[in-house]
Amino acid sequence: MRKIPLAVPLFKNLSGGARERRTSRKAVDFMASSLDFTGYFKSWTEVRFSSTPEKRSVCTEINFQNWTVVGAELLTTGTYGQSGDNVEMELRLFDTIRGRQILGKRYPAISRRRQMILRFCAEVIFYLTGNKGIFNSRIAFVSTGSGKKEIYTCDFDGTIPPD
């Protein structure tokens, strides 16, 4: 199966500051790796394009031809804002070949970035395949590492998110 080339550039940071920029980088890396995990995509976050997210618009002024030249058939854009522990994101998916937005979601201020990104990834997979995908899946397993049998759970990718 041919993997779909997907560009996942840095989100536009609405809060400013170096800390938020690092957090935005982690969020983009997590989105790219989660979508890659499905086997449908070949994504990259280090976009071969000289545009900083702070100078880009989320959905206007996108030169789709420039994205197709670097090989992207799909493009995500996003805004990221943080106030204290609360995070707000707006994420979009574009078809660069047809030059149009195909998906857009806004996630209001909550404290779990991971949850917002996984919701968006699930929306992307549902839009493209009609299936809900694996992003809300949990794995249960038994471990005897402590000398006793204990039951543990984790997310689909083996991560144990904080409660």
Side-chain angles (χ1 to χ4, degrees), residues 9-157:
L10 282 177
F11 298 151
K12 184 174 184 177
N13 185 349
L14 301 177
S15 306
R19 176 178 171 243
E20 286 80 8
R21 187 166 174 85
R22 282 191 306 273
T23 304
S24 178
R25 164 56 66 197
K26 288 179 184 177
V28 164
D29 289 342
F30 178 62
M31 178 185 285
S33 67
S34 295
L35 288 169
D36 279 350
F37 188 85
T38 66
Y40 291 118
F41 304 98
K42 170 64 178 127
S43 61
W44 67 87
T45 58
E46 295 299 326
V47 177
R48 303 164 242 166
F49 210 63
S50 62
S51 172
T52 60
E54 287 75 19
K55 296 179 181 175
R56 275 195 324 256
S57 172
V58 176
C59 64
T60 59
E61 303 171 11
I62 295 174
N63 187 332
F64 293 106
Q65 184 178 4
N66 288 344
W67 291 103
T68 57
V69 166
V70 296
E73 293 177 19
L74 295 175
L75 165 70
T76 62
T77 63
T79 60
Y80 172 89
Q82 185 167 353
S83 175
D85 288 338
N86 289 327
V87 175
E88 185 173 307
M89 288 184 175
E90 184 175 330
L91 303 169
R92 297 173 191 250
L93 179 69
F94 294 90
D95 178 338
T96 61
I97 295 169
R98 291 190 177 105
R100 65 181 179 93
Q101 179 179 322
I102 55 178
L103 186 62
K105 295 290 178 176
R106 185 171 186 271
Y107 301 97
I110 61 174
S111 61
R112 300 184 80 184
R113 287 182 308 275
R114 179 180 171 84
Q115 183 181 22
M116 288 185 270
I117 291 169
L118 290 178
R119 280 186 195 171
F120 184 72
C121 291
E123 292 286 342
V124 169
I125 294 300
F126 185 74
Y127 178 83
L128 295 174
T129 68
N131 297 316
K132 291 186 179 185
I134 59 171
F135 296 106
N136 295 321
S137 300
R138 304 273 298 161
I139 300 169
F141 60 96
V142 176
S143 173
T144 57
S146 67
K148 300 177 186 177
K149 286 186 178 180
E150 296 177 306
I151 297 175
Y152 294 91
T153 62
C154 63
D155 281 350
F156 73 97
D157 60 355

